[in-house]
């Protein structure tokens, strides 16, 4: 990676194609409410942990929702342990992986295995390997769903729509 080409820099430069004010570090810094030298430190990797409010603002201003996911996955002790996407692939790739993971036969197998394991209300030692397979599958599904969410946030904002975040 060349100096100045971290994710924050790349997202700002990509956003500058739609918003010329983001072309210069000085203008972007003004929009973010930081000094140009602070933004330079973010973009050059000189700042170890960027304040979460600034990451959120950059993600919104640059229409780069993966910045939030990356921050959570890399900086938050809880997020580090969660299965989530931090990059967005192409629509075709995401859709195909989604269809593969949500194949009805595959889901039927997961369902059957989970019913068997849960039938007595506990996980026996003999059921642990199958339960681990189910957990791994749910992690894969979670990553794909979060990637679809990131893709959707970016696409909808580009088309003038806001996505609604629900809890």
């Amino acid at each position: 990676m060349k100096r100045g080409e971290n994710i924050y820099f790349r997202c700002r430069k990509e956003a500058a194609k739609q918003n010329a004010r983001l072309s210069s570090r000085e203008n972007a810094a003004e929009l973010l409410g930081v000094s140009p030298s602070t933004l330079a430190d973010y973009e050059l990797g000189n700042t170890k942990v960027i304040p979460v409010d600034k990451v959120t603002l950059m993600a919104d201003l640059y229409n780069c929702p993966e910045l939030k996911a990356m921050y959570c996955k890399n900086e938050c002790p809880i997020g580090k342990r969660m299965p989530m996407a931090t990059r967005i692939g192409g629509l075709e790739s995401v859709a195909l992986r989604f269809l593969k993971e949500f194949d009805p036969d595959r889901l039927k197998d997961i369902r059957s295995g989970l019913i068997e394991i849960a039938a007595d209300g506990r996980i026996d030692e003999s059921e642990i390997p199958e339960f681990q397979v189910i957990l791994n599958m749910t992690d894969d599904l979670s990553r794909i769903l979060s990637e679809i969410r990131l893709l959707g946030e970016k696409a909808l904002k580009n088309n003038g729509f806001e996505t609604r975040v629900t809890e």
Side-chain angles (χ1 to χ4, degrees):
M1 178 175 74
K2 295 178 188 173
R3 260 180 90 66
E5 291 190 8
N6 69 14
I7 186 76
Y8 301 103
F9 177 82
R10 288 191 307 270
C11 286
R12 178 174 63 83
K13 285 303 189 179
E14 186 64 29
K17 294 174 184 175
Q18 304 297 319
N19 181 348
R21 289 196 66 199
L22 298 174
S23 295
S24 79
R25 191 173 278 154
E26 291 73 21
N27 286 339
E30 182 180 333
L31 293 169
L32 292 168
V34 298
S35 70
S37 64
T38 296
L39 182 57
D41 284 342
Y42 297 168
E43 292 182 352
L44 295 171
N46 296 333
T47 302
K48 295 288 183 211
V49 178
I50 299 171
V52 68
D53 62 317
K54 296 306 176 189
V55 173
T56 302
L57 191 54
M58 282 189 272
D60 292 342
L61 183 63
Y62 303 164
N63 189 24
C64 193
E66 57 269 33
L67 284 177
K68 294 181 286 189
M70 183 207 61
Y71 185 90
C72 290
K73 187 69 178 164
N74 296 323
E75 302 303 331
C76 173
I78 296 169
K80 287 179 180 183
R81 301 178 71 176
M82 303 298 290
M84 67 175 78
T86 58
R87 293 194 173 120
I88 302 174
L91 177 59
E92 301 85 358
S93 169
V94 175
L96 289 173
R97 282 186 288 124
F98 175 84
L99 293 171
K100 177 184 172 214
E101 293 297 324
F102 283 89
D103 175 69
D105 293 332
R106 189 163 193 228
L107 292 176
K108 186 177 175 183
D109 291 342
I110 293 171
R111 182 178 179 268
S112 297
L114 195 53
I115 289 170
E116 261 320 294
I117 292 169
D120 62 1
R122 60 190 178 89
I123 304 169
D124 295 331
E125 193 171 322
S126 65
E127 297 169 326
I128 290 174
E130 184 174 357
F131 191 66
Q132 186 60 57
V133 168
I134 292 170
L135 290 177
N136 291 341
M137 290 174 149
T138 63
D139 285 352
D140 292 343
L141 296 172
S142 293
R143 277 187 282 279
I144 290 169
L145 291 173
S146 66
E147 189 173 357
I148 289 171
R149 176 72 187 166
L150 293 173
L151 186 66
E153 283 182 45
K154 184 173 279 220
L156 292 176
K157 189 170 182 184
N158 278 343
N159 291 309
F161 298 98
E162 292 294 325
T163 55
R164 190 183 74 196
V165 177
T166 58
E167 294 184 32

